[in-house]
Amino acid sequence: VFDNNLVFGNNAGYITNINRNNGELIWKFATDGVNNTFESKSNDRKSIYCSASIAKGVVVTGGRDGIIYGIDLKTGKEKWRNDHKGPWILSTAVKDETVYVGCGSDALLQALDINSGKEKWNYKCPSAIFSSITIAGDMLYFNDLHFSGNLHAIDLDGKEKWSFPVGARSFSTPVVNNGIIYSCTENGTLYALQGNNDHDTSINTFKKLVYWEGKKNPDAYSDFQNGVDEFIRDYFIASGYIPKETVPRN
């Protein structure tokens, strides 16, 4: 919502702007996904689940056609596009002249110039970002969809300050209030994380290691059954731990 504009996407691949006071159509924009069918792409390359962000007279959103669109708010005409060549575009947020975009199977948080659509930087995540991106001060907060789940805190230059393992996939958008970050997971857990005003204490300078030995042969006895040990190992790896076998030797 911006002034009298209410902008949204739909499952048919259209981005629509209506007057929020009377519901009258202002413009409708057809993404490339309008011409896609499930049969032709063997997947949904039409729908738009991404909420739009609006700033500097530009609407920024994207869809399952893998394209981020910059659209003139007044005319509904395309100003620029940034094509991910397949991975879904799932969320946007904007601060000043930078748009932050959460992406699907390429597992990226991407920062774009709102006037040109050119990439400023990108941050590689453990998994897709289905959550919207919350901006609080000079920090970006979002969850990833890894099976063990992580809540990330990234600064406006694309550097991760910390991540917190939430233990399950998360589609949730973090909410920040009075220095506390609230976030939910798919298994029904609500976390409340206390913030810290001391900037330096949020930067990890130490290595975290996870040690793991698989079975020496398939018939060997193990206290872990059905791959539980591998699940635990991967949980720690997704939370920033380094597996023993990849630690460089001194």
Side-chain angles (χ1 to χ4, degrees):
V1 176
F2 185 86
D3 292 336
N4 291 331
N5 302 276
L6 193 159
V7 184
F8 57 92
N10 64 24
N11 286 358
Y14 288 95
I15 301 163
T16 302
N17 182 10
I18 64 172
N19 186 309
R20 69 168 177 161
N21 295 315
N22 56 30
E24 291 183 357
L25 178 68
I26 299 175
W27 50 256
K28 181 183 284 189
F29 176 87
T31 67
D32 285 13
V34 166
N35 299 315
N36 295 335
T37 65
F38 192 97
E39 292 74 18
S40 66
K41 301 295 182 180
S42 298
N43 206 335
D44 178 7
R45 294 293 182 189
K46 182 186 291 284
S47 302
I48 299 170
Y49 287 94
C50 177
S51 295
S53 294
I54 303 173
K56 306 296 181 181
V58 181
V59 175
V60 183
T61 189
R64 290 191 170 190
D65 62 0
I67 302 173
I68 307 167
Y69 297 91
I71 303 167
D72 187 285
L73 176 63
K74 186 176 294 186
T75 66
K77 304 295 184 183
E78 181 179 318
K79 296 189 66 171
W80 53 260
R81 62 172 55 195
N82 188 294
D83 193 346
H84 280 232
K85 308 295 184 183
W88 297 345
I89 309 304
L90 297 169
S91 60
T92 63
V94 63
K95 182 178 176 67
D96 299 327
E97 296 193 1
T98 302
V99 180
Y100 303 96
V101 183
C103 307
S105 56
D106 53 1
L108 291 177
L109 176 70
Q110 188 180 37
L112 305 177
D113 183 279
I114 196 169
N115 298 304
S116 66
K118 291 182 179 179
E119 182 178 280
K120 294 184 174 182
W121 53 259
N122 69 65
Y123 171 80
K124 183 69 174 177
C125 297
S127 186
I129 305 168
F130 273 66
S131 92
S132 292
I133 302 157
T134 297
I135 302 176
D138 59 354
M139 297 296 291
L140 310 170
Y141 300 99
F142 61 92
N143 289 298
D144 70 52
L145 206 63
H146 193 274
F147 70 89
S148 62
N150 297 279
L151 170 60
H152 298 273
I154 310 291
D155 70 17
L156 299 181
D157 294 321
K159 296 180 176 60
E160 180 166 89
K161 295 304 181 183
W162 53 263
S163 65
F164 180 85
V166 293
R169 299 193 310 169
S170 179
F171 297 86
S172 167
T173 297
V175 174
V176 181
N177 184 57
N178 290 331
I180 298 177
I181 305 165
Y182 300 92
S183 185
C184 295
T185 65
E186 191 180 46
N187 67 3
T189 303
L190 170 65
Y191 286 92
L193 306 184
Q194 179 66 54
N196 192 326
N197 292 326
D198 187 347
H199 177 75
D200 292 336
T201 63
S202 67
I203 302 174
N204 294 327
T205 58
F206 52 87
K207 287 184 178 179
K208 300 180 291 184
L209 310 180
V210 54
Y211 292 83
W212 174 81
E213 274 188 1
K215 291 184 178 180
K216 294 181 178 179
N217 66 73
D219 298 322
Y221 174 78
S222 172
D223 289 325
F224 297 100
Q225 302 295 322
N226 303 318
V228 171
D229 52 342
E230 296 179 355
F231 181 93
I232 296 171
R233 175 202 63 189
D234 291 344
Y235 171 86
F236 280 104
I237 292 173
S239 302
Y241 284 71
I242 304 170
K244 177 185 176 183
E245 57 268 26
T246 64
V247 177
R249 294 180 182 272
N250 294 328

